[in-house]
Amino acid sequence: MELTKMGVGFSSTSTTVEDMQLIVDYAAWLYRKRQEDIGLSRNLRFRINNRVIQKAGASTDAEP
């Protein structure tokens, strides 16, 4: 999946509502992009970046 390539990690056991909404919004953008040449919206880009940062913070918290 493209979001995984961007560094957004999803856990199959603890998928949240926010994770699912991000996936749905990204899929909707991909579908719209087929017909129009539209860029990734600031809102979606912001949410993807926040998810990447959140994942990086969680991995450093786990290390002693």
Side-chain angles (χ1 to χ4, degrees):
M1 177 180 219
E2 290 183 30
L3 286 173
T4 306
K5 291 178 186 175
M6 289 182 193
V8 179
F10 296 107
S11 171
S12 60
T13 58
S14 63
T15 304
T16 64
V17 174
E18 290 83 14
D19 291 344
M20 294 302 295
Q21 189 63 49
L22 178 60
I23 293 168
V24 168
D25 290 345
Y26 188 75
W29 172 77
L30 284 175
Y31 183 77
R32 284 192 313 266
K33 186 170 173 33
R34 293 180 317 126
Q35 297 291 329
E36 307 167 20
D37 187 25
I38 57 173
L40 195 59
S41 68
R42 281 183 80 194
N43 176 28
L44 194 51
R45 192 173 16 186
F46 181 74
R47 288 170 44 206
I48 290 170
N49 288 340
N50 279 347
R51 187 67 174 96
V52 170
I53 292 168
Q54 185 181 45
K55 179 186 171 192
S59 65
T60 57
D61 289 342
E63 296 176 14

